Amino acid sequence: MTLALILGALLAAGCVVLVALPYLREPAAERDALDDRGELEQRQLALAEVRDRALGALKELEFDHRTGKVSDEDYRALVGPLRREAADALRALEPRAGTSARVKAERQG
Amino acid sequence: MARKRNPARLVIALSVAAVLAVFLLYTSIAGGGTPSVAPSELAGKTGVVTLVGKVTAYKGDSYGDGLRFRVRDRKGSSPTRVTVLYKGSLSDQFRVDREVSVKGELRNGTFVAVKDSLVTKCPSKYTAKKSS
Amino acid sequence: MPELGRAALVATLGLALYAVVAGALAAWTRRRRLAASAQNALIGAFATTLVASAVLVAALVRNDFSFVYVAEHTSRELPTGYTISAFWGGQEGSLLLWLLILTGYAAAAVLLNRRRTRDLIAWVVPVLGAVALFFAFLLVVVATPFAMQTAPADGAGLNPSLQNPYMMAHPPMLYLGYVGLTVPFAFAMGALLARRTDERWIVATRRWTLVAWTALGIGQLLGAHWAYEEVGWGGYYAWDPVENAALMPWLAATAFLHSVMIQEKRGMLRVWNVLLVVLAFSLSLFGTFLTRSGVLSSIHSFTESSIGPWFLGFICIVVLGSLALVFARLPLLRARTRLESLVSREATFLYNNLLLVALTLTILWGVAYPLLHEAVLGDTRIVGAGYYNFFLRVFGLPLLLLMGIGPLVAWRRASLRSLGASFALPAGLALLIGAVLLALGAGSSIPGLIAYTFSAFVLGSIALEFVRGTRARRALSGGSWPAAFSALVARNRRRYGGYVVHAAIVMLAIGIAGSSAYDTVSEGKLVRGQTLAVGDYRLTYRALDEREAANATEIRAVLDVERGGKALGTVAAGKNAYTAERQVSNEVGIRSDLVTGEDLFVIAEQVNADGSVYVRAFVKPLVNMIWLAGLIFVLGALITLWPDAREQRRLAVRYGDARARVGP
């Protein structure tokens, strides 16, 4: 019974310490803000996904063409629009002047 | 370029309609489940039904000339007892006070069962806990 | 010691509550340290649940019958392995196992993702905490495993039909599956709560969903194998509501696994995916509810317990809450791309999803209808196997066919000409095999013949994919055929691993079709020396053996097996009479033919005092394909799960990318 009591007390103490740990480690933190995705960063992420999708689709089209799943004429019909999509996505992601400064400001604001 | 309406929605709508159609067709033909009847409700019922109840007594051999056993209502204290004549496979769980269900029809006062249709319910494994 | 167990569970309850409240507050007000504190609470909850579980295991191993749970589910002669498995043999223990696996998964999910997706994890923590809170609440307030009593001399023992290796592994495997579906659910809800519109939550939970889905599938196969060998009525699946309880979430998870691929590749079906993951998770809760409350009249009728209403309430909260959240975030979820053609790979995935969900809902209706009927109208109804088998054929056979069509269709748009070229070989093969089977007499079952023909088509299309892929790989970078083959699979693990899994499902279909559509049965009473013919076999009753085992008396009727004039050894079937539990179990005799895959399945239905035996024997063609399919299934899942360095790099670029562009 006493063993159970001791172990129980240790367990309870452990739980309290575990939960308080972040505050014990940094009793006075200058920045307590949770990393937030600003709108600009969300847009960048969405564009990155569009780019990856377009590039992935191109790669798969090439592979399917090589394995014979997609015929020559189907390939010719599909590859043009896909290449344009990929090019558009890459262009949209190109770093523009002031983007990084703007997002940094967004984050800190 | 004119925007085409998304065919995905049409496909989904048509599929839902198709599934419903198949479902309604089936249930109207095969009926929505077979009714299960307690011994006290059996009197007068015609046709094949599933009788559900608790065993009170039995004798005979289901693998030989036939097992005759009596059932009463699972719940409640109705005095009705129905005699069942059954041939076919018999679970080792079968004994007095076990819940059983069996398909068959009432003929001349005896419930004549469909072969191999007797199901004996396993006794409960989980008992309700009272807080200590 | 039970005080420690109870205290540990109370600690879990407290930590889960903290995780919910502090986690939600931290995510709402965007406080980093509070969010980290909530995450730690979830990790701590795993530690405390582990302590509680250790207390129970220790009590089981010690045969401490002062624990009510230990006394009810074990006995002194019970072998140690089964004593430990009694942990999950009863209601309270199985709830504790649920909680243990849940907190374990939650802790792992948090630890693996905390650095990468801080804002997403901030919302995932309260969701996971809420589920843990529910189970901890049940264990502390409603159904505690640590109830005590004055110790009786011996325990009641474990139900003899559970004393089987498959039954040992079946519940933990199922729970790894059920509980595993909580993680993608939590991430989906977390993403909605965090107002994120990207696919991060899918990428983060892809492997979790796969593991849960695989475990759930294997768990069901283990259960089916147990039913086949141990319950021994001659089948492996009876459409019992308890069995359906595991099948429904598995089907929903299968649909989900496929539709997330579409969202990843084309950005479509976002609302559908969230609804699917809610459905899968709700069905796994519903499945636990069905098997734990006494609400069913199935072959396993559990007494009505106190946890039923709580479960039902929790499921309602989960469903209504999730739907409300989805509705509130609907504008964020609108898809940006459209389905371009009804003949495309996206479209076949969509059809596959519709069929899977249709099958899931019809099974759900079959389970719920008797319950609703009784609740509303008072009298009971029974839904038989006929209903389920009908819909299995109506939805399952087209699904089988789609498995062969899908891989052969290109993304976005496929012209009928290129389809025809791809289809020619597998379709021709299938028709040929169909004709041969018809000539061999398979026409006795039309659904069976269709299943076989479609299976041949699918296997043909899978083989074609592997061949074409290897050939293209070899044309590209040379090397031998085996090298090109392994390079092909290594570079496209998800695709080709998926094909292996499809092959396993086809084998499953073949095994099911063979053993249920083309089986033979024969029965009769035999005295010593008498013969029973079944299919091509002749069984001669030779002797009756009786022996004493550790906790039972074993009676076996020994029969000589002969086929086509050749002696094939013996098969023994009979009964075990368990002393402590005072129960008799059915022990069937199975002789598997490794060449044809068929089983000779013998049941000694009744052993009479005069030594005669009533025997029922089946010949089940191809049934062993089902178990073999399980192995191939695991292999395919492993290939799909295998970490891919190239893919990890690509994802790092994508998610690091957005940050890199915005500076340090």
Side-chain angles (χ1 to χ4, degrees):
Chain A
M1 175 70 188
T2 18
L3 181 62
L5 228 80
I6 295 173
L7 289 173
L10 280 173
L11 195 67
C15 291
V16 173
V17 168
L18 189 61
V19 163
L21 210 55
Y23 291 99
L24 295 173
R25 279 214 196 118
E26 299 174 80
E30 350 75 62
R31 265 192 71 237
D32 199 24
L34 199 55
D35 291 342
D36 200 8
R37 275 173 196 280
E39 241 200 75
L40 193 59
E41 204 175 325
Q42 289 251 48
R43 253 210 312 271
Q44 297 281 72
L45 193 55
L47 286 174
E49 283 183 347
V50 172
R51 171 202 65 195
D52 282 350
R53 249 183 240 134
L55 289 176
L58 257 179
K59 215 174 119 197
E60 259 196 270
L61 183 64
E62 301 281 339
F63 185 73
D64 285 347
H65 182 223
R66 245 182 291 125
T67 57
K69 197 181 300 182
V70 173
S71 67
D72 285 333
E73 48 179 281
D74 280 353
Y75 175 75
R76 274 193 295 270
L78 286 167
V79 79
L82 266 183
R83 283 211 184 116
R84 263 195 301 278
E85 250 183 72
D88 288 341
L90 283 166
R91 226 189 335 264
L93 269 171
E94 253 161 50
R96 268 187 299 257
T99 310
S100 40
R102 262 187 289 150
V103 179
K104 204 165 171 181
E106 207 174 46
R107 273 247 218 103
Q108 258 142 23
Chain B
M1 185 158 95
R3 276 249 296 256
K4 267 169 74 172
R5 279 185 63 81
N6 190 359
R9 286 192 212 163
L10 182 65
V11 171
I12 293 178
L14 281 176
S15 316
V16 170
V19 169
L20 276 172
V22 171
F23 184 81
L24 286 169
L25 206 70
Y26 180 83
T27 45
S28 60
I29 298 171
T34 46
S36 75
V37 175
S40 55
E41 303 160 345
L42 186 61
K45 287 233 174 6
T46 52
V48 174
V49 294
T50 305
L51 181 67
V52 179
K54 266 197 185 178
V55 179
T56 58
Y58 62 91
K59 74 167 184 260
D61 180 11
S62 73
Y63 295 105
D65 292 326
L67 178 76
R68 275 180 186 279
F69 62 94
R70 312 194 89 203
V71 281
R72 64 176 171 86
D73 280 15
R74 270 187 302 172
K75 300 181 204 153
S77 50
S78 161
T80 321
R81 301 283 182 269
V82 172
T83 306
V84 181
L85 175 61
Y86 173 76
K87 286 193 189 162
S89 73
L90 190 67
S91 162
D92 297 307
Q93 310 284 351
F94 183 86
R95 61 184 74 165
V96 171
D97 251 1
R98 285 283 155 84
E99 274 186 38
V100 293
S101 80
V102 60
K103 253 173 44 176
E105 66 179 320
L106 197 59
R107 264 188 241 156
N108 296 331
T110 310
F111 190 81
V112 180
V114 171
K115 187 168 181 287
D116 293 332
S117 66
L118 180 65
V119 174
T120 312
K121 301 201 178 170
C122 296
S124 45
K125 279 189 281 197
Y126 307 107
T127 46
K129 268 288 174 232
K130 306 268 181 286
S131 51
S132 50
Chain C
M1 265 324 172
E3 302 84 9
L4 179 61
R6 261 182 253 145
L9 284 178
V10 171
T12 309
L13 181 63
L15 288 167
L17 184 61
Y18 183 81
V20 174
V21 175
L25 189 65
W28 185 260
T29 55
R30 304 211 210 285
R31 288 199 232 161
R32 183 175 47 87
R33 285 177 301 166
L34 192 59
S37 175
Q39 288 168 28
N40 285 2
L42 263 190
I43 299 171
F46 174 56
T48 50
T49 314
L50 199 57
V51 168
S53 310
V55 169
L56 187 58
V57 171
L60 283 166
V61 168
R62 275 197 326 257
N63 281 326
D64 187 346
F65 296 127
S66 60
F67 282 73
V68 173
Y69 190 80
V70 177
E72 281 181 347
H73 298 102
T74 61
S75 63
R76 286 193 200 282
E77 311 102 50
L78 196 64
T80 321
Y82 293 126
T83 308
I84 297 178
S85 78
F87 184 110
W88 50 79
Q91 185 184 84
E92 297 79 8
S94 59
L95 286 176
L96 184 56
L97 184 65
W98 229 104
L99 186 62
L100 181 67
I101 298 178
L102 176 64
T103 49
Y105 274 172
V110 163
L111 284 169
L112 286 171
N113 285 291
R114 73 197 311 183
R115 258 168 256 294
R116 290 186 231 159
T117 56
R118 285 209 180 89
D119 58 329
L120 179 57
I121 280 290
W123 278 113
V124 170
V125 164
V127 178
L128 286 172
V131 183
L133 181 63
F134 171 69
F135 280 89
F137 172 78
L138 284 182
L139 281 164
V140 169
V141 176
V142 183
T144 174
F146 300 115
M148 302 301 284
Q149 62 182 7
T150 39
D154 199 355
L158 188 65
N159 191 317
S161 52
L162 298 184
Q163 295 180 31
N164 175 284
Y166 292 106
M167 241 334 160
M168 268 179 68
H170 164 77
M173 196 58 81
L174 274 188
Y175 280 16
L176 285 175
Y178 280 150
V179 183
L181 290 176
T182 316
V183 175
F185 170 76
F187 272 77
M189 295 297 111
L192 288 180
L193 285 164
R195 290 176 194 273
R196 288 184 69 139
T197 54
D198 56 89
E199 327 294 9
R200 193 77 180 88
W201 73 271
I202 294 184
V203 170
T205 54
R206 188 177 78 81
R207 285 201 166 78
W208 288 97
T209 313
L210 260 172
V211 168
W213 177 77
T214 309
L216 202 49
I218 296 298
Q220 285 178 87
L221 277 178
L222 288 172
H225 199 114
W226 168 78
Y228 187 65
E229 269 193 9
E230 187 62 38
V231 183
W233 80 86
Y236 37 80
Y237 200 85
W239 296 107
D240 189 278
V242 165
E243 297 167 296
N244 294 336
L247 182 59
M248 291 186 290
W250 187 80
L251 289 172
T254 310
F256 178 66
L257 269 179
H258 286 88
S259 60
V260 290
M261 278 189 242
I262 304 188
Q263 187 171 343
E264 278 185 88
K265 292 225 194 291
R266 304 275 282 121
M268 294 164 50
L269 297 184
R270 309 161 113 227
V271 180
W272 176 259
N273 278 330
V274 180
L275 291 176
L276 261 184
V277 79
V278 172
L279 179 68
F281 177 60
S282 310
L283 285 173
S284 80
L285 283 178
F286 186 63
T288 314
F289 161 70
L290 284 181
T291 49
R292 294 300 160 212
S293 67
V295 78
L296 297 172
S297 67
S298 76
I299 199 169
H300 311 286
S301 64
F302 308 132
T303 14
E304 284 194 88
S305 77
S306 33
I307 68 169
W310 290 106
F311 251 102
L312 209 51
F314 184 61
I315 293 173
C316 286
I317 293 176
V318 166
V319 172
L320 293 173
S322 324
L323 289 178
L325 184 58
V326 172
F327 190 71
R329 298 286 191 261
L330 216 48
L332 284 177
L333 288 171
R334 285 270 172 251
R336 319 230 173 94
T337 37
R338 299 240 174 273
L339 187 72
E340 280 177 43
S341 158
L342 289 178
V343 183
S344 61
R345 200 178 261 202
E346 298 93 302
T348 52
F349 273 51
L350 185 61
Y351 305 145
N352 141 301
N353 256 237
L354 292 170
L355 286 167
L356 280 168
V357 172
L359 184 57
T360 309
L361 293 178
T362 44
I363 296 176
L364 183 60
W365 181 245
V367 169
Y369 174 70
L371 304 174
L372 293 171
H373 193 102
E374 185 169 1
V376 172
L377 290 170
D379 74 276
T380 40
R381 302 230 135 191
I382 298 176
V383 174
Y387 168 87
Y388 294 109
N389 283 324
F390 175 77
F391 284 106
L392 180 66
R393 288 187 202 127
V394 166
F395 296 132
L397 289 174
L399 264 172
L400 190 58
L401 186 63
L402 269 178
M403 271 204 293
I405 296 179
L408 298 178
V409 184
W411 290 100
R412 301 205 176 211
R413 238 181 6 253
S415 69
L416 291 172
R417 168 116 44 100
S418 53
L419 269 188
S422 294
F423 275 31
L425 217 56
L429 176 72
L431 290 171
L432 182 67
I433 290 185
V436 167
L437 288 173
L438 190 61
L440 289 175
S444 58
S445 163
I446 297 296
L449 182 62
I450 295 177
Y452 281 162
T453 312
F454 284 1
S455 301
F457 176 69
V458 179
L459 288 175
S461 91
I462 293 177
L464 185 63
E465 277 289 283
F466 273 106
V467 166
R468 292 206 291 205
T470 311
R471 197 167 22 171
R473 182 94 228 129
R474 194 156 163 272
L476 198 63
S477 39
S480 62
W481 282 93
F485 178 78
S486 50
L488 177 77
V489 174
R491 306 190 104 206
N492 295 282
R493 275 177 249 253
R494 289 172 69 179
R495 178 190 288 217
Y496 291 96
Y499 289 164
V500 175
V501 172
H502 280 186
I505 302 295
V506 171
M507 287 171 66
L508 188 69
I510 294 174
I512 294 175
S515 56
S516 49
Y518 299 106
D519 63 340
T520 8
V521 61
S522 188
E523 59 187 89
K525 181 157 137 181
L526 300 178
V527 296
R528 270 195 202 79
Q530 243 184 322
T531 304
L532 179 72
V534 58
D536 294 333
Y537 296 85
R538 290 173 59 79
L539 302 167
T540 309
Y541 176 32
R542 185 138 57 82
L544 194 64
D545 283 348
E546 192 173 317
R547 74 181 191 99
E548 295 289 330
N551 53 345
T553 309
E554 301 180 355
I555 302 174
R556 296 285 184 273
V558 181
L559 302 111
D560 285 331
V561 181
E562 184 217 310
R563 183 176 61 189
K566 235 176 69 170
L568 294 174
T570 59
V571 71
K575 314 241 181 234
N576 284 1
Y578 292 89
T579 24
E581 298 84 355
R582 277 188 287 240
Q583 283 183 40
V584 177
S585 75
N586 204 3
E587 302 297 319
V588 299
I590 303 177
R591 188 193 171 275
S592 305
D593 186 325
L594 294 168
V595 171
T596 58
E598 73 184 9
D599 266 359
L600 172 65
F601 190 96
V602 181
I603 311 175
E605 301 243 350
Q606 192 182 43
V607 178
N608 299 314
D610 61 1
S612 65
V613 158
Y614 192 89
V615 169
R616 182 189 300 244
F618 296 83
V619 176
K620 298 201 155 279
L622 294 171
V623 69
N624 290 298
M625 287 285 261
I626 298 177
W627 322 125
L628 185 60
L631 296 171
I632 307 293
F633 181 72
V634 173
L635 176 67
L638 279 174
I639 296 175
T640 325
L641 279 167
W642 210 258
D644 189 340
R646 201 173 285 113
E647 188 197 345
Q648 310 288 47
R649 275 199 299 274
R650 193 168 37 85
L651 287 171
V653 168
R654 182 203 294 182
Y655 292 110
D657 214 295
R659 286 177 182 274
R661 292 195 188 289
V662 302

